[in-house]
PDB file of all heavy atoms in Angstrom:
ATOM      1  N   ALA T   1       5.291   2.999  -8.933  1.00 97.00           N
ATOM      2  CA  ALA T   1       4.665   4.243  -8.467  1.00 97.00           C
ATOM      3  C   ALA T   1       3.733   3.973  -7.292  1.00 97.00           C
ATOM      4  O   ALA T   1       3.712   4.725  -6.302  1.00 97.00           O
ATOM      5  CB  ALA T   1       3.894   4.895  -9.615  1.00 97.00           C
ATOM      6  N   ASP T   2       2.966   2.893  -7.376  1.00 97.00           N
ATOM      7  CA  ASP T   2       2.045   2.543  -6.293  1.00 97.00           C
ATOM      8  C   ASP T   2       2.798   2.175  -5.017  1.00 97.00           C
ATOM      9  O   ASP T   2       2.419   2.584  -3.913  1.00 97.00           O
ATOM     10  CB  ASP T   2       1.141   1.372  -6.714  1.00 97.00           C
ATOM     11  CG  ASP T   2       0.122   1.771  -7.774  1.00 97.00           C
ATOM     12  OD1 ASP T   2      -0.100   2.979  -7.962  1.00 97.00           O
ATOM     13  OD2 ASP T   2      -0.441   0.856  -8.420  1.00 97.00           O
ATOM     14  N   ILE T   3       3.875   1.398  -5.188  1.00 98.00           N
ATOM     15  CA  ILE T   3       4.666   0.981  -4.020  1.00 98.00           C
ATOM     16  C   ILE T   3       5.316   2.191  -3.357  1.00 98.00           C
ATOM     17  O   ILE T   3       5.263   2.351  -2.128  1.00 98.00           O
ATOM     18  CB  ILE T   3       5.745  -0.047  -4.436  1.00 98.00           C
ATOM     19  CG1 ILE T   3       5.092  -1.377  -4.834  1.00 98.00           C
ATOM     20  CG2 ILE T   3       6.744  -0.274  -3.289  1.00 98.00           C
ATOM     21  CD1 ILE T   3       6.072  -2.382  -5.422  1.00 98.00           C
ATOM     22  N   CYS T   4       5.906   3.063  -4.151  1.00 98.00           N
ATOM     23  CA  CYS T   4       6.576   4.231  -3.585  1.00 98.00           C
ATOM     24  C   CYS T   4       5.585   5.141  -2.849  1.00 98.00           C
ATOM     25  O   CYS T   4       5.879   5.626  -1.747  1.00 98.00           O
ATOM     26  CB  CYS T   4       7.265   5.024  -4.697  1.00 98.00           C
ATOM     27  SG  CYS T   4       8.754   4.227  -5.371  1.00 98.00           S
ATOM     28  N   ALA T   5       4.408   5.331  -3.441  1.00 98.00           N
ATOM     29  CA  ALA T   5       3.402   6.176  -2.794  1.00 98.00           C
ATOM     30  C   ALA T   5       2.925   5.548  -1.486  1.00 98.00           C
ATOM     31  O   ALA T   5       2.700   6.250  -0.490  1.00 98.00           O
ATOM     32  CB  ALA T   5       2.219   6.388  -3.739  1.00 98.00           C
ATOM     33  N   ASP T   6       2.790   4.231  -1.478  1.00 98.00           N
ATOM     34  CA  ASP T   6       2.316   3.542  -0.275  1.00 98.00           C
ATOM     35  C   ASP T   6       3.344   3.612   0.840  1.00 98.00           C
ATOM     36  O   ASP T   6       2.999   3.860   2.014  1.00 98.00           O
ATOM     37  CB  ASP T   6       1.991   2.083  -0.618  1.00 98.00           C
ATOM     38  CG  ASP T   6       1.136   1.407   0.446  1.00 98.00           C
ATOM     39  OD1 ASP T   6       0.435   2.125   1.204  1.00 98.00           O
ATOM     40  OD2 ASP T   6       1.160   0.175   0.526  1.00 98.00           O
ATOM     41  N   VAL T   7       4.622   3.415   0.496  1.00 98.00           N
ATOM     42  CA  VAL T   7       5.680   3.506   1.515  1.00 98.00           C
ATOM     43  C   VAL T   7       5.777   4.928   2.042  1.00 98.00           C
ATOM     44  O   VAL T   7       5.948   5.150   3.247  1.00 98.00           O
ATOM     45  CB  VAL T   7       7.035   3.048   0.935  1.00 98.00           C
ATOM     46  CG1 VAL T   7       8.173   3.336   1.915  1.00 98.00           C
ATOM     47  CG2 VAL T   7       6.990   1.558   0.606  1.00 98.00           C
ATOM     48  N   GLN T   8       5.638   5.903   1.163  1.00 97.00           N
ATOM     49  CA  GLN T   8       5.676   7.304   1.587  1.00 97.00           C
ATOM     50  C   GLN T   8       4.539   7.610   2.552  1.00 97.00           C
ATOM     51  O   GLN T   8       4.694   8.367   3.508  1.00 97.00           O
ATOM     52  CB  GLN T   8       5.601   8.226   0.372  1.00 97.00           C
ATOM     53  CG  GLN T   8       5.801   9.698   0.698  1.00 97.00           C
ATOM     54  CD  GLN T   8       5.805  10.562  -0.556  1.00 97.00           C
ATOM     55  OE1 GLN T   8       5.351  10.144  -1.621  1.00 97.00           O
ATOM     56  NE2 GLN T   8       6.333  11.772  -0.419  1.00 97.00           N
ATOM     57  N   LYS T   9       3.382   6.979   2.331  1.00 98.00           N
ATOM     58  CA  LYS T   9       2.206   7.250   3.158  1.00 98.00           C
ATOM     59  C   LYS T   9       2.201   6.437   4.448  1.00 98.00           C
ATOM     60  O   LYS T   9       1.936   6.983   5.532  1.00 98.00           O
ATOM     61  CB  LYS T   9       0.938   6.930   2.355  1.00 98.00           C
ATOM     62  CG  LYS T   9      -0.356   7.162   3.111  1.00 98.00           C
ATOM     63  CD  LYS T   9      -1.552   6.795   2.242  1.00 98.00           C
ATOM     64  CE  LYS T   9      -2.876   7.005   2.986  1.00 98.00           C
ATOM     65  NZ  LYS T   9      -4.047   6.642   2.138  1.00 98.00           N
ATOM     66  N   ARG T  10       2.513   5.147   4.371  1.00 98.00           N
ATOM     67  CA  ARG T  10       2.345   4.263   5.533  1.00 98.00           C
ATOM     68  C   ARG T  10       3.647   3.869   6.218  1.00 98.00           C
ATOM     69  O   ARG T  10       3.627   3.210   7.252  1.00 98.00           O
ATOM     70  CB  ARG T  10       1.569   3.011   5.128  1.00 98.00           C
ATOM     71  CG  ARG T  10       0.142   3.272   4.665  1.00 98.00           C
ATOM     72  CD  ARG T  10      -0.677   1.984   4.675  1.00 98.00           C
ATOM     73  NE  ARG T  10      -0.182   1.000   3.728  1.00 98.00           N
ATOM     74  CZ  ARG T  10       0.117  -0.248   4.061  1.00 98.00           C
ATOM     75  NH1 ARG T  10       0.017  -0.663   5.320  1.00 98.00           N
ATOM     76  NH2 ARG T  10       0.550  -1.092   3.137  1.00 98.00           N
ATOM     77  N   GLY T  11       4.781   4.236   5.630  1.00 98.00           N
ATOM     78  CA  GLY T  11       6.055   4.016   6.290  1.00 98.00           C
ATOM     79  C   GLY T  11       6.387   2.566   6.590  1.00 98.00           C
ATOM     80  O   GLY T  11       6.286   1.688   5.735  1.00 98.00           O
ATOM     81  N   ASP T  12       6.775   2.307   7.855  1.00 97.00           N
ATOM     82  CA  ASP T  12       7.222   0.973   8.266  1.00 97.00           C
ATOM     83  C   ASP T  12       6.200  -0.103   7.961  1.00 97.00           C
ATOM     84  O   ASP T  12       6.562  -1.219   7.547  1.00 97.00           O
ATOM     85  CB  ASP T  12       7.531   0.966   9.762  1.00 97.00           C
ATOM     86  CG  ASP T  12       8.846   1.637  10.106  1.00 97.00           C
ATOM     87  OD1 ASP T  12       9.604   1.983   9.170  1.00 97.00           O
ATOM     88  OD2 ASP T  12       9.121   1.825  11.310  1.00 97.00           O
ATOM     89  N   ALA T  13       4.934   0.185   8.162  1.00 97.00           N
ATOM     90  CA  ALA T  13       3.887  -0.826   7.948  1.00 97.00           C
ATOM     91  C   ALA T  13       3.894  -1.317   6.506  1.00 97.00           C
ATOM     92  O   ALA T  13       3.805  -2.522   6.238  1.00 97.00           O
ATOM     93  CB  ALA T  13       2.520  -0.249   8.316  1.00 97.00           C
ATOM     94  N   ALA T  14       4.005  -0.394   5.558  1.00 97.00           N
ATOM     95  CA  ALA T  14       4.057  -0.784   4.153  1.00 97.00           C
ATOM     96  C   ALA T  14       5.337  -1.536   3.838  1.00 97.00           C
ATOM     97  O   ALA T  14       5.323  -2.532   3.101  1.00 97.00           O
ATOM     98  CB  ALA T  14       3.947   0.462   3.268  1.00 97.00           C
ATOM     99  N   LEU T  15       6.442  -1.100   4.431  1.00 97.00           N
ATOM    100  CA  LEU T  15       7.732  -1.752   4.189  1.00 97.00           C
ATOM    101  C   LEU T  15       7.693  -3.204   4.661  1.00 97.00           C
ATOM    102  O   LEU T  15       8.158  -4.104   3.949  1.00 97.00           O
ATOM    103  CB  LEU T  15       8.833  -0.967   4.913  1.00 97.00           C
ATOM    104  CG  LEU T  15      10.275  -1.277   4.547  1.00 97.00           C
ATOM    105  CD1 LEU T  15      10.528  -1.055   3.061  1.00 97.00           C
ATOM    106  CD2 LEU T  15      11.224  -0.412   5.384  1.00 97.00           C
ATOM    107  N   ILE T  16       7.145  -3.435   5.826  1.00 97.00           N
ATOM    108  CA  ILE T  16       7.022  -4.794   6.360  1.00 97.00           C
ATOM    109  C   ILE T  16       6.120  -5.645   5.460  1.00 97.00           C
ATOM    110  O   ILE T  16       6.433  -6.798   5.134  1.00 97.00           O
ATOM    111  CB  ILE T  16       6.477  -4.768   7.802  1.00 97.00           C
ATOM    112  CG1 ILE T  16       7.489  -4.104   8.743  1.00 97.00           C
ATOM    113  CG2 ILE T  16       6.145  -6.168   8.289  1.00 97.00           C
ATOM    114  CD1 ILE T  16       6.917  -3.750  10.105  1.00 97.00           C
ATOM    115  N   GLU T  17       5.001  -5.070   5.053  1.00 97.00           N
ATOM    116  CA  GLU T  17       4.034  -5.802   4.229  1.00 97.00           C
ATOM    117  C   GLU T  17       4.649  -6.231   2.896  1.00 97.00           C
ATOM    118  O   GLU T  17       4.521  -7.385   2.477  1.00 97.00           O
ATOM    119  CB  GLU T  17       2.809  -4.924   3.992  1.00 97.00           C
ATOM    120  CG  GLU T  17       1.721  -5.588   3.164  1.00 97.00           C
ATOM    121  CD  GLU T  17       0.541  -4.646   2.947  1.00 97.00           C
ATOM    122  OE1 GLU T  17       0.097  -4.018   3.934  1.00 97.00           O
ATOM    123  OE2 GLU T  17       0.089  -4.544   1.802  1.00 97.00           O
ATOM    124  N   TYR T  18       5.310  -5.307   2.214  1.00 97.00           N
ATOM    125  CA  TYR T  18       5.903  -5.643   0.907  1.00 97.00           C
ATOM    126  C   TYR T  18       7.060  -6.628   1.052  1.00 97.00           C
ATOM    127  O   TYR T  18       7.251  -7.508   0.208  1.00 97.00           O
ATOM    128  CB  TYR T  18       6.381  -4.369   0.203  1.00 97.00           C
ATOM    129  CG  TYR T  18       5.257  -3.508  -0.316  1.00 97.00           C
ATOM    130  CD1 TYR T  18       5.108  -2.191   0.118  1.00 97.00           C
ATOM    131  CD2 TYR T  18       4.329  -3.998  -1.233  1.00 97.00           C
ATOM    132  CE1 TYR T  18       4.076  -1.385  -0.354  1.00 97.00           C
ATOM    133  CE2 TYR T  18       3.295  -3.210  -1.711  1.00 97.00           C
ATOM    134  CZ  TYR T  18       3.171  -1.911  -1.257  1.00 97.00           C
ATOM    135  OH  TYR T  18       2.150  -1.133  -1.725  1.00 97.00           O
ATOM    136  N   THR T  19       7.840  -6.488   2.098  1.00 96.00           N
ATOM    137  CA  THR T  19       8.955  -7.398   2.308  1.00 96.00           C
ATOM    138  C   THR T  19       8.449  -8.826   2.541  1.00 96.00           C
ATOM    139  O   THR T  19       8.978  -9.786   1.971  1.00 96.00           O
ATOM    140  CB  THR T  19       9.827  -6.940   3.487  1.00 96.00           C
ATOM    141  OG1 THR T  19      10.326  -5.624   3.216  1.00 96.00           O
ATOM    142  CG2 THR T  19      11.001  -7.876   3.697  1.00 96.00           C
ATOM    143  N   ASN T  20       7.429  -8.965   3.354  1.00 97.00           N
ATOM    144  CA  ASN T  20       6.853 -10.291   3.588  1.00 97.00           C
ATOM    145  C   ASN T  20       6.260 -10.863   2.303  1.00 97.00           C
ATOM    146  O   ASN T  20       6.395 -12.058   2.013  1.00 97.00           O
ATOM    147  CB  ASN T  20       5.775 -10.218   4.674  1.00 97.00           C
ATOM    148  CG  ASN T  20       6.373 -10.033   6.067  1.00 97.00           C
ATOM    149  OD1 ASN T  20       7.548 -10.315   6.291  1.00 97.00           O
ATOM    150  ND2 ASN T  20       5.568  -9.543   7.003  1.00 97.00           N
ATOM    151  N   ARG T  21       5.617 -10.001   1.499  1.00 96.00           N
ATOM    152  CA  ARG T  21       4.965 -10.479   0.278  1.00 96.00           C
ATOM    153  C   ARG T  21       5.981 -10.886  -0.782  1.00 96.00           C
ATOM    154  O   ARG T  21       5.878 -11.962  -1.382  1.00 96.00           O
ATOM    155  CB  ARG T  21       4.055  -9.392  -0.280  1.00 96.00           C
ATOM    156  CG  ARG T  21       3.296  -9.847  -1.540  1.00 96.00           C
ATOM    157  CD  ARG T  21       2.676  -8.683  -2.287  1.00 96.00           C
ATOM    158  NE  ARG T  21       1.838  -7.832  -1.447  1.00 96.00           N
ATOM    159  CZ  ARG T  21       1.232  -6.735  -1.902  1.00 96.00           C
ATOM    160  NH1 ARG T  21       1.389  -6.379  -3.177  1.00 96.00           N
ATOM    161  NH2 ARG T  21       0.498  -6.002  -1.097  1.00 96.00           N
ATOM    162  N   PHE T  22       6.950 -10.041  -1.021  1.00 94.00           N
ATOM    163  CA  PHE T  22       7.870 -10.288  -2.138  1.00 94.00           C
ATOM    164  C   PHE T  22       9.054 -11.181  -1.781  1.00 94.00           C
ATOM    165  O   PHE T  22       9.585 -11.889  -2.638  1.00 94.00           O
ATOM    166  CB  PHE T  22       8.387  -8.961  -2.694  1.00 94.00           C
ATOM    167  CG  PHE T  22       7.324  -8.080  -3.273  1.00 94.00           C
ATOM    168  CD1 PHE T  22       7.279  -6.726  -2.972  1.00 94.00           C
ATOM    169  CD2 PHE T  22       6.359  -8.605  -4.117  1.00 94.00           C
ATOM    170  CE1 PHE T  22       6.306  -5.901  -3.513  1.00 94.00           C
ATOM    171  CE2 PHE T  22       5.364  -7.789  -4.653  1.00 94.00           C
ATOM    172  CZ  PHE T  22       5.327  -6.442  -4.349  1.00 94.00           C
ATOM    173  N   ASP T  23       9.489 -11.148  -0.532  1.00 93.00           N
ATOM    174  CA  ASP T  23      10.659 -11.936  -0.132  1.00 93.00           C
ATOM    175  C   ASP T  23      10.309 -13.193   0.648  1.00 93.00           C
ATOM    176  O   ASP T  23      11.212 -13.955   1.040  1.00 93.00           O
ATOM    177  CB  ASP T  23      11.618 -11.069   0.702  1.00 93.00           C
ATOM    178  CG  ASP T  23      12.357 -10.044  -0.139  1.00 93.00           C
ATOM    179  OD1 ASP T  23      12.302 -10.160  -1.393  1.00 93.00           O
ATOM    180  OD2 ASP T  23      12.985  -9.130   0.411  1.00 93.00           O
ATOM    181  N   GLY T  24       9.028 -13.396   0.900  1.00 93.00           N
ATOM    182  CA  GLY T  24       8.627 -14.613   1.614  1.00 93.00           C
ATOM    183  C   GLY T  24       9.102 -14.645   3.049  1.00 93.00           C
ATOM    184  O   GLY T  24       9.368 -15.712   3.593  1.00 93.00           O
ATOM    185  N   THR T  25       9.211 -13.476   3.667  1.00 94.00           N
ATOM    186  CA  THR T  25       9.617 -13.420   5.066  1.00 94.00           C
ATOM    187  C   THR T  25       8.389 -13.341   5.968  1.00 94.00           C
ATOM    188  O   THR T  25       7.262 -13.246   5.498  1.00 94.00           O
ATOM    189  CB  THR T  25      10.524 -12.191   5.303  1.00 94.00           C
ATOM    190  OG1 THR T  25       9.844 -11.014   4.851  1.00 94.00           O
ATOM    191  CG2 THR T  25      11.820 -12.327   4.530  1.00 94.00           C
TER     192      THR T  25
END
């Protein structure tokens, strides 16, 4: 729920942040 709300609010910035955090990119 937190991730979905954050992506909905911050868009690309949140997507990049979570991808780097969870996938080690």
Side-chain angles (χ1 to χ4, degrees):
D2 290 344
I3 291 173
C4 288
D6 196 23
V7 171
Q8 187 176 17
K9 180 181 179 180
R10 296 197 295 127
D12 284 352
L15 194 58
I16 294 167
E17 181 181 314
Y18 288 121
T19 301
N20 287 340
R21 182 194 307 178
F22 297 134
D23 287 348
T25 54

